[in-house]
Amino acid sequence: MADRANNIFELREVSYCYPNDEWALKNINISITRGAKVALLGENGAGKSTLMLLLNGILKPTNGSIQFENELICHRRKALRKLHQKVGFLFPNSDDQLIAPTVYEEISFGLMNLYKDENLTRKKTEEIISHFDLKQIQHKSPHQLSSGQKKMVCLAAILAMEPEVIICDEPASHLDYKSEQLLFVHLDRLNKMGKTIIISTHNIDQAYEWTDETILLHQSQLKAHGKTTEVLSNSKLLKEVNIPSPTIISLLNELNIDIPTNNPPKTKKDLAQLIYLNR
Amino acid sequence: MFIEQIYNHNHRLHQQHLLARGAYILPAFILTLCSHSIAFNSLIVTIYILLIRYISNISGKHLVRLFSIPLTFISLGCITIAMHVTFPLKVQFIPANTELAILIFTKSFALIAVLFMALMIYTISEIAAVFRLIKVPSLFIELFVLMYRFNMKLLSNTKQLYLAQKCRLGYTSNKQAYRHIGLLFASVFQSAIKANKTTEIAMTARLGNHQYHFVSPHRTFCWKACTYPLFLASLLLMFYLILNF
Ligand SMILES: Nc1ncnc2c1ncn2[C@@H]1O[C@H](COP(=O)(O)OP(=O)(O)O)[C@@H](O)[C@H]1O
Ligand SMILES: [Mg+2]
């Protein structure tokens, strides 16, 4: 994370205060690596959503500065438009995001704003619809869909615009197991294409196995930032912020197996191997 | 409810081309506007109510409720036309006026039926597109779409909050019910306004500039889809000519 040119976001002493004088973030210093999968963890009210809104330029930091691709985020209209084009935001509540009478038109909305060309928009919309398997529901009203389908439509609508960074605020909320898996498969594929993905979640196991970096927030302050395996295998730290250890780590603790500090097991397979070696 | 039906947009014609759908509306609308025949107007009312029922599967009860609101106002107006009140309080119906009143009543009824049908088979974005085409000021279009969206939020919010109140044993006694309805309205409005704000943000995040430019899938126009509505239109024209002259 030391390499500055490789950082997509750089936050310096960022604080944010809501209009009702509530400090949601205080003195945050973070650099986010380009192409990383980043987990944003913390209790309810820790400031995760606020931080995400700051990254997308929707909120303006009260103090401090945020750089995107080595340029200060400017809150003028034109500059913001450029930022929004490159940073997609998946809202926690799909209903807030859905505005069009049909799924097809919902997906076309951002594209039309971007390209201002109907034929190109149609082409891209149809591409993303078939990519996301939304063909059967493309003429339905978004408000008739299940929450999993709604989430997919929202994600498709954002991804259609081909952003560099995808910020997902609690993407798995309201999703059943299968939809959640599908969502993460999509996100994984995007990550392989070089996109940076930032998610906030309460699913600690998911965060542990899926992400590369973890940002830990606690009571509006940055508690830790580093490699996921390092941050989340630190049981003492997690206890301080009222977050349980990932299953893999707590299992090793139960078994009294020392966790290799340089290379903690990341997947269930790694875990099985480690247990096998220590039997 | 009908509003939900409009918003859901899952009627039988939703796959058809704009023009094919228009063929159900425009001829009937023009003929009704020109018609002087009570019989013809009644025919339009009957046909379009049946059509709305068939296309949307809306229940008869809802249909009655739907039409009752505009019809109440129209009936009141028509009765005042037909009635002649003289002092000291003597009510009489003047035959010529009564006939005019009935004509106006049937004509308005028919127009409403056709308009409801139009509302039903066009999505909000198509209506907005038509507005744009005929150069309605963009402020008006924006307001129109905004109202639609606000209503939609209001509707779903109200339903959920009402259920939530009920689950927590609201509305058990009459006296309570008034208070709870008050609470419901207060919270519904607050939450709808907040949701609308978030939506606004979500739209800016997708580069929306307070404009509602959607693109609908390209549908190829084919004459075959127009056969039913054109058949209907020619039938109506025939009846129009017979009944009006
Ligand atoms: N719109 C708002 N107005 C005022 N305070 C807010 C608003 N949104 C969030 N907050 C406050 O900011 C703090 C952080 O909130 P948030 O970023 O939403 O937390 P998280 O997403 O981690 O649960 C909370 O204490 C919350 O009460
Ligand atoms: Mg949150």
Side-chain angles (χ1 to χ4, degrees):
Chain A
M1 270 158 274
D3 183 10
R4 282 204 54 192
N6 207 21
N7 290 337
I8 195 150
F9 281 112
E10 291 243 7
L11 284 76
R12 291 279 155 267
E13 294 292 323
V14 170
S15 303
Y16 186 79
C17 180
Y18 276 104
N20 60 350
D21 278 338
E22 189 163 336
W23 285 92
L25 288 174
K26 286 181 212 151
N27 304 329
I28 307 286
N29 288 300
I30 313 175
S31 328
I32 295 173
T33 325
R34 183 185 289 276
K37 290 187 276 190
V38 184
L40 205 52
L41 302 180
E43 294 173 280
N44 283 336
K48 303 182 294 293
S49 301
T50 311
L51 181 60
M52 291 178 141
L53 291 172
L54 282 168
L55 291 181
N56 192 10
I58 289 168
L59 297 178
K60 191 177 173 186
T62 314
N63 296 316
S65 66
I66 304 178
Q67 287 190 358
F68 174 68
E69 297 188 323
N70 298 320
E71 270 179 49
L72 265 185
I73 290 182
C74 166
H75 285 261
R76 284 216 203 87
R77 217 181 180 170
K78 253 195 169 151
L80 270 188
R81 198 183 138 87
K82 248 170 137 181
L83 183 73
H84 288 150
Q85 192 180 327
K86 290 192 168 175
V87 183
F89 196 103
L90 188 68
F91 280 75
N93 186 356
S94 310
D95 286 324
D96 288 339
Q97 205 169 322
L98 299 167
I99 43 169
T102 65
V103 168
Y104 189 102
E105 287 167 89
E106 182 68 44
I107 293 172
S108 77
F109 176 72
L111 287 169
M112 190 62 191
N113 291 332
L114 185 60
Y115 298 118
K116 308 225 183 293
D117 174 18
E118 283 202 17
N119 289 328
L120 186 61
T121 300
R122 279 213 187 92
K123 189 171 152 265
K124 295 248 174 202
T125 305
E126 274 147 32
E127 264 171 31
I128 205 100
I129 281 179
S130 68
H131 195 89
F132 270 76
D133 243 345
L134 300 173
K135 202 108 206 169
Q136 301 90 14
I137 58 167
Q138 63 174 337
H139 298 301
K140 274 192 165 185
S141 157
H143 295 274
Q144 287 178 294
L145 305 177
S146 77
S147 26
Q149 287 171 321
K150 278 186 195 172
K151 203 53 131 199
M152 279 300 159
V153 172
C154 288
L155 189 67
I158 289 162
L159 295 186
M161 298 169 71
E162 297 170 1
E164 279 301 306
V165 185
I166 297 140
I167 299 177
C168 309
D169 196 351
E170 306 198 10
S173 58
H174 308 298
L175 289 194
D176 65 5
Y177 180 76
K178 194 169 150 247
S179 319
E180 188 181 333
Q181 292 301 311
L182 198 66
L183 181 82
F184 278 100
V185 166
H186 273 299
L187 290 177
D188 236 347
R189 192 161 53 204
L190 289 162
N191 180 249
K192 295 251 158 61
M193 288 158 61
K195 316 257 178 205
T196 314
I197 294 171
I198 304 172
I199 61 167
S200 77
T201 176
H202 292 293
N203 185 341
I204 193 82
D205 286 324
Q206 181 86 24
Y208 183 78
E209 289 183 38
W210 196 73
T211 60
D212 313 316
E213 281 180 32
T214 292
I215 296 168
L216 202 56
L217 291 176
H218 184 56
Q219 293 178 352
S220 320
Q221 284 174 334
L222 182 66
K223 197 78 185 172
H225 178 205
K227 274 176 77 173
T228 296
T229 40
E230 277 165 26
V231 175
L232 295 187
S233 57
N234 187 341
S235 306
K236 194 164 146 267
L237 178 72
L238 290 183
K239 204 162 211 165
E240 279 173 44
V241 297
N242 302 319
I243 289 178
S245 290
T247 314
I248 290 178
I249 299 300
S250 45
L251 213 84
L252 288 175
N253 285 340
E254 289 292 325
L255 292 169
N256 274 328
I257 296 175
D258 284 336
I259 300 162
T261 41
N262 53 343
N263 185 21
K266 190 145 169 90
T267 61
K268 295 197 179 85
K269 204 170 158 197
D270 298 344
L271 175 73
Q273 251 167 14
L274 193 67
I275 295 175
Y276 182 75
L277 288 175
N278 280 278
R279 90 208 117 135
Chain B
M1 269 309 283
F2 185 70
I3 293 181
E4 270 176 37
Q5 301 254 349
I6 294 176
Y7 290 161
N8 286 346
H9 195 61
N10 55 353
H11 53 82
R12 280 173 207 259
L13 296 179
H14 79 274
Q15 290 280 21
Q16 302 216 342
H17 192 271
L18 209 87
L19 289 177
R21 278 177 282 157
Y24 280 97
I25 306 299
L26 212 57
F29 192 77
I30 292 171
L31 289 180
T32 317
L33 270 183
C34 304
S35 152
H36 300 290
S37 145
I38 293 172
F40 179 77
N41 294 342
S42 314
L43 185 75
I44 292 269
V45 169
T46 326
I47 290 177
Y48 274 80
I49 285 183
L50 288 178
L51 258 181
I52 290 178
R53 266 217 72 169
Y54 172 72
I55 284 169
S56 67
N57 279 331
I58 189 172
S59 74
K61 203 176 93 196
H62 280 148
L63 208 59
V64 169
R65 230 192 286 170
L66 178 72
F67 277 99
S68 65
I69 301 160
L71 284 187
T72 319
F73 288 103
I74 295 169
S75 315
L76 279 176
C78 290
I79 287 171
T80 37
I81 291 175
M83 247 172 22
H84 187 71
V85 184
T86 46
F87 199 75
L89 219 60
K90 198 171 150 212
V91 181
Q92 58 182 180
F93 288 93
I94 301 165
N97 282 6
T98 311
E99 205 186 313
L100 181 68
I102 292 176
L103 181 64
I104 291 177
F105 178 80
T106 52
K107 196 163 173 166
S108 325
F109 198 170
L111 285 177
I112 289 171
V114 177
L115 274 182
F116 272 155
M117 174 86 180
L119 265 182
M120 171 121 266
I121 64 179
Y122 283 108
T123 63
I124 207 78
S125 45
E126 283 163 343
I127 296 173
V130 170
F131 280 175
R132 239 175 251 132
L133 209 69
I134 57 175
K135 298 267 181 325
V136 173
S138 65
L139 181 72
F140 181 80
I141 301 175
E142 210 174 283
L143 214 66
F144 176 69
V145 181
L146 203 77
M147 246 155 56
Y148 155 83
R149 233 186 46 206
F150 193 74
N151 275 345
M152 190 160 63
K153 289 259 142 69
L154 213 61
L155 213 72
S156 61
N157 271 342
T158 315
K159 217 166 165 184
Q160 278 184 6
L161 280 170
Y162 176 71
L163 286 179
Q165 271 185 328
K166 259 197 146 169
C167 290
R168 287 180 289 158
L169 303 180
Y171 303 105
T172 34
S173 72
N174 263 346
K175 204 176 122 201
Q176 255 190 338
Y178 289 122
R179 223 170 59 85
H180 289 166
I181 282 190
L183 285 176
L184 178 70
F185 272 105
S187 53
V188 158
F189 263 95
Q190 268 175 6
S191 62
I193 286 169
K194 187 161 168 280
N196 233 31
K197 245 188 211 154
T198 324
T199 310
E200 207 73 44
I201 293 172
M203 278 174 59
T204 0
R206 283 200 282 154
L207 310 177
N209 206 352
H210 296 279
Q211 281 176 338
Y212 300 86
H213 273 299
F214 303 117
V215 177
S216 12
H218 187 76
R219 295 197 181 93
T220 40
F221 177 75
C222 69
W223 282 102
K224 217 177 131 206
C226 288
T227 37
Y228 285 125
L230 286 183
F231 176 67
L232 178 71
S234 46
L235 215 69
L236 287 179
L237 184 68
M238 196 179 77
F239 276 111
Y240 175 81
L241 292 176
I242 293 171
L243 293 172
N244 274 287
F245 299 107

